[in-house]
Amino acid sequence: MMKHPLLQMINLQKKGLPVGIYSVCSANEFVIEAALERGKQTKSVVLIEATSNQVNQYGGYTGMKPKDFLKFVEKIAKKVGFPMEKVILGGDHLGPLTWTHLNEKEAMKEAKKLIELYVAAGFTKIHIDTSMRVADDDQNAMLSTDVIARRGAELAEVAEKTFAKLVAKNPNSLHPVFIVGSEVPIPGGAQEEEDGVAVTKVKDCKTTIDSFHKAFLAKDLKDAWNHVIAVVVQPGVEFGDATVIEYNRKEAKKLTNSLKSYKNLVFEGHSTDYQTKIALKQMVEDGIAILKVGPGLTFAAREGMFALANIEEELFKGTKTKTSKFIDVLEEVMLKEPGNWKKHYHGTEQQLAFKRKYSFSDRCRYYLPNEKVQAALETLIKNINSTEIPFSLLSQYMPIQYTKVREGIIPCTAEALIKDRVANCMDEYLFATQQQKLK
């Protein structure tokens, strides 16, 4: 049986080699295509993850079930010419997150079905997250680590049974690796502006690991435990609407030093978006080997789209060509359907208008699949591709891409320009992770 690339990563980490991997937490086509193109260019594996509220047995907010998401990625990989065997698919926050309004019995029944479908579809990185209270838990008390671990072990048991069926059909199937713990805000980032975040305490991390270990062994899941490769911790990184809390390795030192006690574990860091490449590199060196990034990538794609919309207005001013008004259309749709940003953005009308466009939490990403927004984007791309962008205008709005076009590295098409803006972010993660060393 082939060895999972993330098990190789653990081996390298424990030998003192700072190799990690960044995780593309996005269902955006531009983002995934950019990731696979970069993977092809750098000859590295690519980790793409879907969250439980994005992709689940009811379709999530993308309308995709796990098998649909697999086909979605396969289609893009085929277009790019990237081998699917070098793609690692992951499931993020898999557990009762989407069903917290139900009692434990019903919520866990849904969570078990969720895990089953992810594993059956061939997802091999499974974040088991049972950290949230369900309807019949005491809503005024912290959920005990033992309850979290017990529920987590129940989900791991389902994953193991599902994998046994999978391997019976295909002996070359990769055994999934598991991530436990959830010392982070809910998926999508913090909902309030924060001045600082507390680094996970060593004793809390140890309690989580010990509780999960005990719960796994109580269910005779020794092999599953051997495939637990990481614990989610808060290493002291977060972002608000316009601020970033930078990684401070001194503040995280007690936590990262505690990894020496575990021969098969690294840390997984969520909300690593917008960290500098130096901070990301330090995180990997300190054992925070899995770097999750989501909003940061669609934020970059949105930046690319906005830049092209500004170029479009300049190019076609005073002509008969009808411009896309992409920025205005996106704002209109967000105002008409405020469900995906209302709880996350606070302030005056002026501040809200600013955040809808430019917040680091990038709630725009939920509106990109909207029919009106898609139609505007298609018009934008068509208009940009119908003419030549003067170099002086490209330099004004997309200076990094301007240089790459001049040097013949990328073509001057709307799609290439958007994807390369996303790839700017990915390059910082590739610098930090050295994941091309994983085979």
Side-chain angles (χ1 to χ4, degrees):
M1 193 181 288
M2 283 172 61
K3 187 159 190 174
H4 200 294
L6 296 185
L7 292 176
Q8 296 174 25
M9 182 191 73
I10 301 295
N11 289 340
L12 293 172
Q13 273 279 335
K14 296 307 176 181
K15 286 176 183 173
L17 298 170
V19 176
I21 194 164
Y22 82 98
S23 174
V24 178
C25 301
S26 178
N28 181 276
E29 200 160 341
F30 282 108
V31 168
I32 293 174
E33 198 167 316
L36 296 178
E37 284 179 355
R38 268 296 181 269
K40 188 178 179 181
Q41 289 155 5
T42 57
K43 295 183 169 59
S44 66
V45 294
V46 177
L47 171 58
I48 299 169
E49 297 203 48
T51 62
S52 58
N53 52 10
Q54 193 179 49
V55 173
N56 59 41
Q57 57 264 49
Y58 302 105
Y61 68 74
T62 62
M64 287 188 274
K65 297 175 183 177
K67 275 195 173 173
D68 301 324
F69 188 77
L70 167 67
K71 287 173 187 169
F72 173 65
V73 175
E74 281 177 336
K75 187 180 174 184
I76 300 170
K78 189 176 180 183
K79 178 185 174 184
V80 170
F82 188 79
M84 274 305 289
E85 55 267 26
K86 295 196 80 171
V87 174
I88 303 165
L89 287 179
D92 196 24
H93 294 284
L94 301 188
L97 177 71
T98 315
W99 302 285
T100 53
H101 60 288
L102 300 175
N103 289 337
E104 179 181 354
K105 187 178 177 184
E106 290 78 23
M108 285 299 290
K109 185 180 177 184
E110 296 285 8
K112 287 173 182 177
K113 186 65 183 174
L114 180 74
I115 290 270
E116 180 190 335
L117 291 180
Y118 268 85
V119 175
F123 286 66
T124 65
K125 178 184 178 290
I126 303 294
H127 173 209
I128 294 173
D129 183 6
T130 47
S131 63
M132 62 292 300
R133 289 188 292 257
V134 293
D136 54 353
D137 288 324
D138 184 345
Q139 301 301 306
N140 299 311
M142 286 274 291
L143 201 56
S144 82
T145 312
D146 287 342
V147 170
I148 293 170
R150 172 180 60 75
R151 290 174 183 170
E154 287 177 21
L155 297 183
E157 185 176 40
V158 173
E160 289 292 276
K161 285 178 179 174
T162 308
F163 177 70
K165 292 176 187 172
L166 195 64
V167 87
K169 291 180 191 171
N170 181 5
N172 292 323
S173 299
L174 274 186
H175 194 296
V177 294
F178 301 108
I179 318 298
V180 298
S182 183
E183 188 80 12
V184 287
I186 60 169
Q191 291 190 10
E192 305 287 346
E193 200 74 23
E194 299 186 43
D195 296 322
V197 287
V199 174
T200 301
K201 291 183 173 66
V202 172
K203 66 172 185 176
D204 292 340
C205 179
K206 186 178 186 304
T207 300
T208 295
I209 295 168
D210 290 347
S211 298
F212 269 92
H213 186 208
K214 184 180 170 186
F216 272 52
L217 293 189
K219 282 197 159 288
D220 199 24
L221 296 171
K222 190 178 178 184
D223 193 43
W225 182 254
N226 289 337
H227 285 86
V228 173
I229 63 160
V231 185
V232 177
V233 292
Q234 175 48 275
V237 301
E238 190 50 89
F239 55 89
D241 289 316
T243 57
V244 180
I245 298 168
E246 198 83 23
Y247 178 62
N248 184 326
R249 72 188 330 173
K250 284 183 182 175
E251 288 183 8
K253 193 166 186 182
K254 282 183 183 174
L255 176 66
T256 55
N257 277 349
S258 71
L259 272 174
K260 292 170 186 171
S261 306
Y262 304 100
K263 63 177 183 177
N264 294 321
L265 291 177
V266 293
F267 288 143
E268 175 167 290
H270 291 222
S271 301
T272 71
D273 311 65
Y274 314 110
Q275 295 289 313
T276 66
K277 66 179 182 180
I278 301 304
L280 293 170
K281 187 169 186 283
Q282 288 178 348
M283 289 170 77
V284 174
E285 288 169 353
D286 294 347
I288 305 157
I290 304 170
L291 304 174
K292 306 295 281 283
V293 55
L297 300 176
T298 45
F299 180 88
R302 193 272 314 152
E303 280 187 325
M305 292 167 193
F306 275 25
L308 291 181
N310 284 313
I311 289 171
E312 178 196 30
E313 289 300 326
E314 293 288 355
L315 276 175
F316 298 104
K317 195 180 285 181
T319 73
K320 290 180 181 179
T321 300
K322 189 181 175 186
T323 55
S324 67
K325 304 293 180 193
F326 176 77
I327 297 171
D328 296 336
V329 171
L330 181 62
E331 171 70 348
E332 284 165 21
V333 171
M334 289 182 79
L335 282 172
K336 193 177 175 184
E337 302 172 21
N340 281 313
W341 61 265
K342 200 87 173 174
K343 284 191 293 185
H344 293 259
Y345 296 157
H346 310 283
T348 64
E349 285 306 312
Q350 184 202 11
Q351 288 167 336
L352 290 173
F354 180 86
K355 289 173 184 182
R356 281 193 295 272
K357 282 191 176 82
Y358 304 116
S359 170
F360 277 146
S361 71
D362 188 50
R363 308 305 294 179
C364 294
R365 70 189 188 275
Y366 295 98
Y367 297 88
L368 292 178
N370 176 278
E371 280 183 28
K372 284 186 179 176
V373 177
Q374 273 296 306
L377 182 58
E378 284 168 19
T379 300
L380 172 61
I381 289 170
K382 183 183 171 188
N383 284 343
I384 291 291
N385 290 343
S386 72
T387 187
E388 283 189 21
I389 304 174
F391 281 156
S392 56
L393 196 55
L394 187 60
S395 176
Q396 172 66 42
Y397 288 103
M398 303 188 84
I400 298 172
Q401 284 64 49
Y402 157 77
T403 301
K404 290 185 179 180
V405 169
R406 289 290 308 275
E407 292 175 354
I409 296 169
I410 61 169
C412 194
T413 64
E415 297 90 340
L417 292 167
I418 294 169
K419 284 186 291 181
D420 195 69
R421 177 66 198 98
V422 178
N424 293 158
C425 296
M426 293 171 171
D427 287 345
E428 302 201 328
Y429 282 88
L430 288 166
F431 165 82
T433 60
Q434 300 185 63
Q435 65 194 58
Q436 71 277 8
K437 293 180 180 177
L438 302 175
K439 303 298 177 190

